Amino acid sequence: MENSKSEAKSMKVTIYDIAKKAGVSIATVSKVINNTGSMRESTRQRVLEIMQQLNYQPSVMASALMGKKTETIGLLVPDISNPLFSEMARTIEDRAHDQGMSVIMCSTDDNPEKEKKYVELLQRKQVDGFIVGASFHDKSLLQELIDNNIPLVMLTQDEPSLDVSKVTVDDFKGGYEATSHLLFNGHQNIAIIAEYAYSSNLRINGYRAAHEVYGAVSKEEYIYRTTASILNGKKYFDKLFSRQDVELPTAIFACNDQLAIGAIQAAKEKGLQIPNDVSIVGFDDTILATTTVPGLTTIAQPIKTMGEKIVDVLIKEIKAGKSLKERFLYNPELIVRGTTNVFNEGTVDKQ
Amino acid sequence: MENSKSEAKSMKVTIYDIAKKAGVSIATVSKVINNTGSMRESTRQRVLEIMQQLNYQPSVMASALMGKKTETIGLLVPDISNPLFSEMARTIEDRAHDQGMSVIMCSTDDNPEKEKKYVELLQRKQVDGFIVGASFHDKSLLQELIDNNIPLVMLTQDEPSLDVSKVTVDDFKGGYEATSHLLFNGHQNIAIIAEYAYSSNLRINGYRAAHEVYGAVSKEEYIYRTTASILNGKKYFDKLFSRQDVELPTAIFACNDQLAIGAIQAAKEKGLQIPNDVSIVGFDDTILATTTVPGLTTIAQPIKTMGEKIVDVLIKEIKAGKSLKERFLYNPELIVRGTTNVFNEGTVDKQ
DNA sequence: TTGAAAGCGCTAACAG
DNA sequence: CTGTTAGCGCTTTCAA
């Protein structure tokens, strides 16, 4: 009635089972698991074999208890169902798995209570490090992690008050390029629908800078702020086009693809032709930018590159045991599709 | 030089610290943590207070080692960046967090090697249960989990060979409704672009059944299979429209939104008008269905409801310690937008 | 080269 | 009502 065969019963097989069957001590088994210490090659082989036979999987829990890593990272983003973040998440997940780590995702909804809850949860789960994406409101929570020397890196959020490693796109340049493209093509009245995020400040600065360079005036009345969603894109487009006090804009620079799509939809509903009556530029270059007709002209972030880099940076810091405070700034790229009329330049990829 | 104040130093505070400071034993502290046993109310309060003061977070690792749950679930889907799954994931995440659990996500890419790798990884991390979404090729891996009595539920995948709880949409009915809508509106030549998935078999059956009911003939030449992507939607649309041996279809039923969008793009490129020259119906009703112009007529899955249900079922099974083998079948709903012409019926939500 | 033993932070009897 | 104690599965000195 004993399970003397290699057919492990249902009970989880532990380091003790391996040790007994191999006729060695658990210390020895531990050494072969971790590839530490030295021993007779034949011993190592025997243990290895038995581990195979019994399909032994060392418990991450137990080793984490002993101060080893959990090989898990926490990913905090505003909303994983937002295409920008789901695309980022996919890259992050792949890169992490390549290095033997898994990722727990948490959508904060820009809600400080959820932020707190998730940070604490992830700490209880003893994640090896955090990736914080796009926006995080309760800075003090993050500062506390930093103070406790818990690896933390920021993606797509160049919040100056936090002194950690960051991977971002050059938001200023992105804003500048989007606006230049529009100015270059003859638009004088360009509105901007931005987000309540640090990145949007930078993009707005780029927008203003472009105006200066082109000798145009950027009107404060054209600058709106909201949160990312198609609905808000619609709403703010309508607001913009129902004002009496300023000239109607002929172009919109939306600070992300969702807002841009909302603007497209609102324009269509108003019977405006795109790009002739109104041109629209988005930001991010998510899948959404390719599914509209006409395709959305947008500023591309190198999502894949950034996702991979942020994982690499985090893992490096986890190994180093301290923040390296590196900053990586990537170039945005203007992708011209059908929502702007083009008399020139730019990467043309019309669909 | 002692940190006698409530200002916990950097070392993690443990159950011992609480016990010492409260002047009780760790057993007592453990009891208040888990709300077990009984004790003087004043004692409980005192301990609770100190836990607050020291910002004590019980280690999930340590309690998991003792056989408690890890409060983590593993989510396996083909690709988290696919809007259907990211929207599902969002719902799942929220529902799980509501009940104190977090989710580790893994994208399998329909690749059996990744499937194996992730299942093993999640086991090492001792997840309390698995949610397997949409498609999973190596059935034996799942069967092994089931045999080991590890909670496992399936979402959107009514694979008959696995006897576990399932939450799915009624794929047959969805296929039937999509096709009926087209037949009812006068189409006789309706092609279908399906996936290599069990759900697609069912949708194809519905497609055939609708033909029978309407006294139409469903031609095998109109049935294509591929994997979900915009590119494949385009590709198969082109294939369909370059055949000489059958009449050109006047309508396409694509088994998911991505394929449908590819078809829309291909149609536009060919200069075909939608819905007049060709009508298109999708499946899923993801965000993609709302961003195209015209909006995509599609079969909606109740993503939120299903996501919540699958979590509830899994958690119930985790608590029960065994599979309940429940099946939940949800009604799909036809959402009529602009890619089909309507002479009648259906939920109209044109944009 | 190997193993005995002392924990990691927590839970769960079992005594007191 | 409360504390003592024996582990959970693993890592890591330190001796042998």
Side-chain angles (χ1 to χ4, degrees):
Chain A
M1 292 303 130
E2 280 294 334
N3 60 329
S4 49
K5 307 291 294 300
S6 60
E7 263 317 310
K9 272 284 185 37
S10 89
M11 266 305 297
K12 207 172 174 331
V13 11
T14 74
I15 198 171
Y16 288 97
D17 302 321
I18 306 297
K20 192 194 293 179
K21 187 145 190 205
V24 297
S25 74
I26 59 166
T28 302
V29 177
S30 178
K31 275 170 201 151
V32 355
I33 293 170
N34 298 291
N35 232 303
T36 54
S38 59
M39 70 189 66
R40 206 174 302 146
E41 187 53 26
S42 62
T43 310
R44 177 184 304 284
Q45 285 310 324
R46 185 153 35 91
V47 172
L48 242 21
E49 244 165 54
I50 303 209
M51 283 178 11
Q52 289 263 212
Q53 270 177 44
L54 266 47
N55 191 25
Y56 169 63
Q57 310 277 15
S59 157
V60 176
M61 300 295 132
S63 73
L65 233 204
M66 284 301 297
K68 305 285 265 197
K69 300 293 172 225
T70 52
E71 289 165 5
T72 306
I73 74 191
L75 173 63
L76 295 160
V77 292
D79 177 10
I80 193 73
S81 73
N82 173 328
L84 175 64
F85 302 125
S86 69
E87 291 171 27
M88 284 275 186
R90 180 52 152 87
T91 303
I92 288 171
E93 190 210 315
D94 282 352
R95 189 65 153 208
H97 277 138
D98 281 349
Q99 322 208 26
M101 317 212 41
S102 20
V103 5
I104 295 181
M105 58 178 179
C106 297
S107 299
T108 61
D109 277 330
D110 283 314
N111 172 344
E113 280 171 34
K114 289 195 185 178
E115 290 176 353
K116 179 149 200 270
K117 173 176 159 189
Y118 294 154
V119 165
E120 286 180 355
L121 182 70
L122 292 171
Q123 275 193 278
R124 285 188 353 109
K125 300 228 161 140
Q126 234 172 289
V127 296
D128 297 335
F130 289 80
I131 296 176
V132 180
S135 80
F136 199 95
H137 298 267
D138 189 346
K139 276 24 174 203
S140 68
L141 270 174
L142 301 183
Q143 190 57 54
E144 203 172 308
L145 291 176
I146 297 168
D147 292 344
N148 286 324
N149 204 32
I150 294 171
L152 162 58
V153 294
M154 305 192 75
L155 177 59
T156 276
Q157 184 189 185
D158 202 349
E159 174 59 46
S161 69
L162 266 6
D163 188 22
V164 295
S165 291
K166 287 166 193 159
V167 170
T168 53
V169 78
D170 189 332
D171 289 298
F172 175 87
K173 194 168 175 191
Y176 181 89
E177 293 205 344
T179 313
S180 296
H181 173 64
L182 260 8
L183 289 164
F184 189 85
N185 285 299
H187 295 279
Q188 290 289 330
N189 296 318
I190 305 170
I192 178 168
I193 307 178
E195 291 180 80
Y196 297 115
Y198 192 79
S199 61
S200 276
N201 301 348
L202 267 20
R203 292 174 196 176
I204 291 173
N205 289 346
Y207 161 91
R208 291 200 180 106
H211 277 81
E212 280 181 29
V213 169
Y214 279 77
V217 283
S218 60
K219 309 191 182 65
E220 286 307 306
E221 295 88 335
Y222 281 158
I223 301 179
Y224 278 86
R225 293 234 189 200
T226 180
T227 53
S229 79
I230 292 178
L231 228 53
N232 280 333
K234 263 182 155 143
K235 188 167 135 193
Y236 282 83
F237 184 95
D238 287 340
K239 278 200 184 166
L240 224 26
F241 276 79
S242 59
R243 291 186 65 152
Q244 310 288 341
D245 54 337
V246 286
E247 280 184 77
L248 259 33
T250 62
I252 311 273
F253 167 33
C255 281
N256 65 56
D257 288 349
Q258 287 170 297
L259 291 171
I261 281 167
I264 292 176
Q265 293 180 354
K268 299 237 176 185
E269 281 173 14
K270 277 198 157 37
L272 297 171
Q273 292 295 316
I274 299 173
N276 294 331
D277 296 333
V278 56
S279 287
I280 295 176
V281 178
F283 207 110
D284 290 346
D285 195 35
T286 58
I287 190 175
L288 296 181
T290 68
T291 61
T292 56
V293 179
L296 177 64
T297 292
T298 194
I299 302 292
Q301 303 203 39
I303 296 183
K304 187 148 190 289
T305 309
M306 292 171 68
E308 290 175 353
K309 176 55 86 180
I310 196 79
V311 172
D312 292 347
V313 170
L314 178 59
I315 291 184
K316 201 161 76 171
E317 298 199 349
I318 290 173
K319 287 188 176 143
K322 65 176 172 55
S323 174
L324 272 16
K325 304 186 202 291
E326 294 179 310
R327 274 194 70 212
F328 295 88
L329 197 59
Y330 288 90
N331 264 324
E333 186 190 0
L334 174 68
I335 308 285
V336 178
R337 295 199 180 90
T339 54
T340 55
N341 34 23
V342 186
F343 304 121
N344 49 71
E345 61 128 19
T347 304
V348 178
D349 170 25
K350 202 147 192 167
Q351 26 188 4
Chain B
M1 290 297 132
E2 281 295 334
N3 58 327
S4 49
K5 306 291 294 300
S6 60
E7 263 315 313
K9 271 285 184 35
S10 91
M11 265 306 297
K12 207 172 173 328
V13 11
T14 75
I15 198 172
Y16 288 97
D17 301 323
I18 306 296
K20 192 192 294 180
K21 185 144 191 208
V24 296
S25 75
I26 59 166
T28 302
V29 178
S30 178
K31 276 170 202 152
V32 356
I33 293 170
N34 299 291
N35 231 302
T36 55
S38 58
M39 71 189 65
R40 204 176 304 147
E41 187 52 29
S42 63
T43 310
R44 176 184 304 285
Q45 286 310 325
R46 184 153 35 93
V47 172
L48 243 21
E49 241 165 56
I50 303 212
M51 283 177 13
Q52 289 264 216
Q53 269 178 43
L54 267 45
N55 191 24
Y56 169 64
Q57 310 278 15
S59 157
V60 176
M61 300 295 130
S63 73
L65 233 205
M66 283 302 297
K68 304 287 264 195
K69 301 294 173 228
T70 52
E71 290 164 2
T72 307
I73 74 191
L75 173 63
L76 294 160
V77 292
D79 177 10
I80 193 73
S81 72
N82 174 327
L84 175 63
F85 301 126
S86 68
E87 291 172 25
M88 284 276 187
R90 180 51 152 89
T91 302
I92 289 171
E93 190 211 314
D94 282 351
R95 189 66 154 205
H97 277 138
D98 281 348
Q99 322 210 25
M101 317 212 40
S102 20
V103 6
I104 296 182
M105 59 177 178
C106 297
S107 298
T108 62
D109 277 330
D110 283 314
N111 173 344
E113 281 172 35
K114 290 195 185 176
E115 290 176 352
K116 179 151 200 270
K117 173 176 160 191
Y118 295 153
V119 165
E120 286 180 354
L121 182 69
L122 293 172
Q123 275 194 277
R124 284 188 354 109
K125 300 226 162 141
Q126 235 172 290
V127 295
D128 296 334
F130 289 81
I131 295 176
V132 180
S135 81
F136 198 95
H137 298 269
D138 189 345
K139 283 4 178 216
S140 68
L141 270 174
L142 301 184
Q143 189 57 55
E144 204 171 308
L145 291 176
I146 297 168
D147 293 343
N148 286 324
N149 203 32
I150 294 171
L152 163 58
V153 294
M154 305 191 75
L155 177 59
T156 277
Q157 185 188 186
D158 202 349
E159 174 59 44
S161 69
L162 266 5
D163 188 22
V164 294
S165 291
K166 287 165 192 159
V167 170
T168 53
V169 78
D170 189 333
D171 289 297
F172 175 87
K173 193 168 176 190
Y176 180 90
E177 294 206 342
T179 313
S180 296
H181 172 65
L182 260 9
L183 289 163
F184 189 85
N185 284 301
H187 295 278
Q188 290 290 329
N189 296 318
I190 304 170
I192 176 167
I193 306 178
E195 291 180 80
Y196 297 115
Y198 191 79
S199 62
S200 276
N201 300 349
L202 266 21
R203 292 174 196 176
I204 291 173
N205 290 346
Y207 162 91
R208 292 200 179 106
H211 277 81
E212 281 182 29
V213 168
Y214 278 78
V217 283
S218 60
K219 309 192 184 64
E220 286 306 307
E221 296 89 333
Y222 281 158
I223 302 180
Y224 278 87
R225 292 234 190 204
T226 179
T227 52
S229 78
I230 292 178
L231 229 53
N232 280 332
K234 262 184 155 141
K235 188 167 135 194
Y236 282 83
F237 184 96
D238 287 340
K239 279 200 184 166
L240 224 27
F241 277 79
S242 59
R243 291 185 67 154
Q244 311 288 338
D245 55 336
V246 285
E247 281 184 77
L248 259 32
T250 61
I252 311 273
F253 168 33
C255 281
N256 64 58
D257 288 348
Q258 287 170 296
L259 292 171
I261 280 166
I264 292 175
Q265 293 180 354
K268 299 238 177 185
E269 280 173 14
K270 277 198 156 36
L272 297 171
Q273 292 296 316
I274 298 174
N276 294 330
D277 296 333
V278 57
S279 287
I280 296 176
V281 178
F283 207 110
D284 291 347
D285 195 34
T286 57
I287 189 174
L288 297 181
T290 69
T291 61
T292 57
V293 179
L296 177 64
T297 293
T298 193
I299 302 291
Q301 303 202 41
I303 296 183
K304 187 148 190 286
T305 309
M306 293 171 69
E308 290 174 353
K309 177 55 88 178
I310 196 79
V311 172
D312 292 346
V313 170
L314 179 59
I315 291 183
K316 201 160 75 169
E317 298 200 350
I318 290 172
K319 286 187 177 144
K322 65 178 173 54
S323 175
L324 274 14
K325 304 188 202 295
E326 294 179 311
R327 274 193 69 213
F328 295 88
L329 197 60
Y330 287 90
N331 264 324
E333 186 190 0
L334 174 67
I335 308 284
V336 178
R337 294 199 182 91
T339 55
T340 55
N341 34 24
V342 187
F343 304 122
N344 49 72
E345 60 127 23
T347 304
V348 177
D349 170 25
K350 201 143 192 170
Q351 28 185 3

